[in-house]
Amino acid sequence: MDLNNQDHFRSFYKLMLVLGIVFVAFNLRPAITSVGPVIGSIRDDVGLSNWSAGILTSLPLIAFSFMSPLVPKLGHRYTNERALVLGLVLLTIGILVRSVTWAFLLFSGTLFAGMGIAILNVLLPSVIKDKFPTKVPFMTSVYSTAMGTFAAIASGLSVPIAFGLNLGWEAALLVWAIPSVMAIIIWFYLIWKDEKNETTQMAYVQSRGNRMWRSPLAWQVASFMGLQSFTFYVTISWLPEILHDYGVSLQTAGWMLSFTQFIGLPTSFFVPVIAGRFTTQRWIALVLCLTAFAGYGGLLIGTSNTTMVISIILIGLALGGIFPLALALLGMRARTARQAAELSGMAQAFGYLLAAVGPTLIGYLYDLAGNWEVPLITLMITTLLVASFGMGAGRNKYVLDDVGEKTGS
């Protein structure tokens, strides 16, 4: 292969690699965010209570929690690229299985989809660090923005597909197998090119011992990750129902949830970049959390269209920035790649277990109270807790320094 052909191959390979990362990011949220706008229809067709309907959003988070510590071993044994394909296959199977009006398949398919997304969640940052070591903040911004874009699109299209086209909620969930299959095709190509050209692949660094679990700073990062996920998944699960109870049509409520996520795309892109320019991120966490607090408070005190729109804008801006900030902190609070890997596994395992409580708890509180006041007050309290842990996690310190390890190996 002459020099020009080599340059052409590298350029095309990098382009396909970026495309592969973007398509994986496309698949990180639609299987979850597509449920919220049609959750009332699913509940009625399958015969679920509000709290059990909330489990449909909680199950993927439970899968995130128990799968996250296992994923590094998959990446280490089979390479990150092959493990990504495995995650995409599990996600596709889950989407297909749950698009059937039977409670067992609905819940089991949702669990499979969650397991697939868990693999993608953990390995995608590792792939970015391996393939783009000098552009981690920028590529994190790219994939978090791509993730947020398709999450918003999925929320907005669910009701038009289900009711506008009269295809039912089953089709509204099934359609998201398409980007998953496309991502599988792209990554099969990348794996084939890697093997054909003997491209070096990264083995995921395995964790040593339980030292990370004894770091107070690591627990603050994990709690920040978990509580912000609590608020996000509660919002995408129940915001359409809240707005519908306030007099908004289901289709409009679905698009308002979509708008909530679209309005957060600028903060999703810029927050990681801004966070990387400062040694402390405490003020960023505080501003974002106070913005979310004001948004949920607005929904609590007023039901006018103006109040709802302003509240949704505030919530969208805040949630759009808090999650990428949590992702950025996983790397910024670690001194080495090994520490970052351990912190990521711990934060996602504990954090998503905490987040899994959210949709079911809020549904249960609504069943008990018969209104949305208590759930909204709970969300406001949660945002204050997110701010508290964000102030701790945002300090210019490193995990494991407080348990006697400074450099790692």
Side-chain angles (χ1 to χ4, degrees):
M1 183 182 292
D2 61 37
L3 187 60
N4 287 335
N5 287 337
Q6 287 181 345
D7 290 341
H8 177 74
F9 165 74
R10 292 193 189 99
S11 298
F12 185 74
Y13 177 82
K14 286 290 185 182
L15 176 63
M16 292 300 295
L17 190 57
V18 171
L19 192 63
I21 289 170
V22 169
F23 263 84
V24 170
F26 283 165
N27 286 282
L28 292 177
R29 292 298 177 267
I32 302 172
T33 60
S34 60
V35 174
V38 293
I39 198 169
S41 180
I42 296 172
R43 176 193 59 206
D44 297 339
D45 283 359
V46 183
L48 305 174
S49 63
N50 279 308
W51 73 267
S52 58
I55 293 177
L56 287 175
T57 305
S58 296
L59 265 180
L61 307 182
I62 294 171
F64 294 174
S65 180
F66 77 76
M67 280 293 294
S68 292
L70 306 177
V71 173
K73 296 179 181 179
L74 290 175
H76 180 79
R77 182 170 181 178
Y78 300 109
T79 74
N80 288 340
E81 291 80 359
R82 290 190 181 90
L84 279 178
V85 171
L86 173 62
L88 289 165
V89 169
L90 285 175
L91 172 59
T92 305
I93 292 172
I95 292 173
L96 296 175
V97 167
R98 75 173 185 175
S99 302
V100 179
T101 313
W102 184 24
F104 174 76
L105 292 180
L106 178 65
F107 285 106
S108 59
T110 299
L111 184 61
F112 270 99
M115 291 168 63
I117 296 172
I119 294 174
L120 307 180
N121 270 337
V122 173
L123 290 184
L124 189 55
S126 176
V127 170
I128 289 174
K129 191 165 188 176
D130 178 33
K131 304 297 186 180
F132 300 94
T134 62
K135 298 180 180 179
V136 171
F138 176 74
M139 289 303 298
T140 299
S141 295
V142 168
Y143 101 75
S144 63
T145 303
M147 177 182 66
T149 300
F150 257 56
I153 292 173
S155 298
L157 290 182
S158 285
V159 171
I161 292 173
F163 306 118
L165 299 178
N166 202 31
L167 296 176
W169 60 264
E170 297 90 345
L173 302 186
L174 181 63
V175 70
W176 299 108
I178 296 173
S180 180
V181 171
M182 294 178 69
I184 290 172
I185 294 171
I186 293 172
W187 279 98
F188 265 126
Y189 168 81
L190 289 169
I191 291 171
W192 173 70
K193 279 295 184 183
D194 281 341
E195 293 176 346
K196 182 179 178 181
N197 295 280
E198 298 182 348
T199 304
T200 302
Q201 298 189 28
M202 171 185 170
Y204 201 97
V205 184
Q206 292 181 315
S207 173
R208 292 189 318 183
N210 63 351
R211 189 168 300 188
M212 187 64 67
W213 294 82
R214 293 187 283 113
S215 167
L217 180 57
W219 278 105
Q220 290 174 327
V221 174
S223 299
F224 180 69
M225 168 71 80
L227 288 169
Q228 67 82 26
S229 293
F230 180 106
T231 58
F232 174 78
Y233 286 105
V234 166
T235 300
I236 65 171
S237 298
W238 293 115
L239 182 60
E241 287 291 304
I242 294 173
L243 299 177
H244 183 54
D245 279 6
Y246 284 179
V248 177
S249 69
L250 276 178
Q251 182 162 339
T252 302
W255 279 112
M256 290 179 81
L257 175 61
S258 181
F259 174 72
T260 305
Q261 295 167 83
F262 272 120
I263 200 69
L265 292 180
T267 52
S268 179
F269 184 84
F270 287 110
V271 162
V273 177
I274 295 172
R277 295 179 180 274
F278 295 91
T279 56
T280 176
Q281 294 74 40
R282 304 179 75 187
W283 65 273
I284 302 176
L286 181 61
V287 169
L288 291 172
C289 291
L290 291 179
T291 303
F293 182 88
Y296 292 121
L299 290 179
L300 178 66
I301 64 176
T303 60
S304 68
N305 289 336
T306 301
T307 302
M308 281 190 286
V309 170
I310 293 174
S311 298
I312 283 172
I313 290 173
L314 293 174
I315 292 170
L317 289 172
L319 297 187
I322 295 176
F323 177 65
L325 177 61
L327 290 177
L329 290 177
L330 294 178
M332 299 179 76
R333 295 287 80 87
R335 289 188 181 276
T336 67
R338 180 180 66 79
Q339 290 181 6
E342 292 182 15
L343 179 59
S344 178
M346 174 194 172
Q348 295 200 48
F350 171 74
Y352 283 120
L353 180 61
L354 186 61
V357 177
T360 302
L361 173 62
I362 294 301
Y364 180 69
L365 291 176
Y366 176 76
D367 285 338
L368 286 180
N371 58 60
W372 291 106
E373 291 182 4
V374 174
L376 286 170
I377 291 172
T378 303
L379 282 171
M380 294 173 69
I381 294 172
T382 304
T383 59
L384 295 179
L385 291 174
V386 177
S388 175
F389 286 111
M391 293 289 285
R395 293 173 297 164
N396 185 24
K397 294 187 176 183
Y398 297 95
V399 294
L400 300 187
D401 283 9
D402 48 10
V403 288
E405 177 175 332
K406 294 188 176 182
T407 59
S409 59

